[in-house]
Amino acid sequence: QAHPRRLLIFGGLGGVGQNLIRSFAKRPLEQIVIVGRSPLNEKIKAALNELASAAKAIEYQSLDVLNESELNTFLTTAFSRPVPFDLIVHSVGREFSEVLSNTSIEHIDQIVDGKLILAKALAQAAKDHPETRFIFNSSIIPEFGNAGQTPYG
């Protein structure tokens, strides 16, 4: 596969997302669009500055993927760009550090819902774009172990 030129990454300011973005610094992309739940703030601006060497253009969009209407509008716009994204990364997650026996069903739903809603929306939006490549991340915590991270496994 050719090196990607345009990256759309959901949850790109988490640890896994930032490491992936940094990996492109040696061969920068044309464009990276990072989508995150938080509104743009000083911490996010600092992270974008730190990641700037990974692309000629880097931007941030605030979006709650649990708002399906806003998500679908965003994806319609993203997939109708004149030059499409050739790599889309799903790295969305919510962090609730609790031992599983103390984790409520509501917290598990919040952990899983964002992942499933976005995956379903991406599959629907990409159905006419077979050239688009995807990476879906869950969590690396099960690899290392952490009693408070069981719902992520």
Side-chain angles (χ1 to χ4, degrees):
Q1 292 278 355
H3 184 71
R5 295 176 55 218
R6 288 178 177 74
L7 168 66
L8 173 61
I9 181 166
F10 292 85
L13 294 180
V16 173
Q18 284 194 40
N19 285 333
L20 177 67
I21 292 169
R22 280 189 198 96
S23 74
F24 290 113
K26 291 180 182 168
R27 265 180 85 187
L29 305 179
E30 294 291 322
Q31 178 185 31
I32 297 174
V33 175
I34 301 170
V35 179
R37 183 176 48 246
S38 301
L40 185 63
N41 56 44
E42 293 306 314
K43 183 178 177 183
I44 291 171
K45 288 178 185 177
L48 295 175
N49 286 335
E50 182 183 319
L51 298 169
S53 64
K56 293 177 183 173
I58 190 164
E59 66 182 84
Y60 179 81
Q61 295 283 325
S62 177
L63 175 71
D64 182 355
V65 298
L66 295 178
N67 183 326
E68 293 183 62
S69 174
E70 287 183 20
L71 174 60
N72 290 328
T73 298
F74 176 84
L75 290 175
T76 298
T77 302
F79 277 95
S80 64
R81 289 179 175 222
V83 181
F85 294 102
D86 50 356
L87 178 61
I88 298 176
V89 176
H90 178 330
S91 198
V92 167
R94 295 195 57 104
E95 202 283 322
F96 295 108
S97 291
E98 299 173 322
V99 177
L100 185 58
S101 62
N102 295 336
T103 303
S104 69
I105 294 298
E106 291 78 19
H107 279 181
I108 293 174
D109 286 347
Q110 288 176 9
I111 292 165
V112 174
D113 284 353
K115 294 181 181 301
L116 294 179
I117 289 169
L118 179 57
K120 180 180 172 186
L122 285 170
Q124 182 65 28
K127 68 180 179 194
D128 296 325
H129 301 275
E131 71 285 354
T132 303
R133 293 174 284 168
F134 292 89
I135 296 173
F136 289 84
N137 292 318
S138 175
S139 176
I140 61 170
I141 293 299
E143 191 69 26
F144 304 108
N146 179 339
Q149 299 287 313
T150 306
Y152 298 90

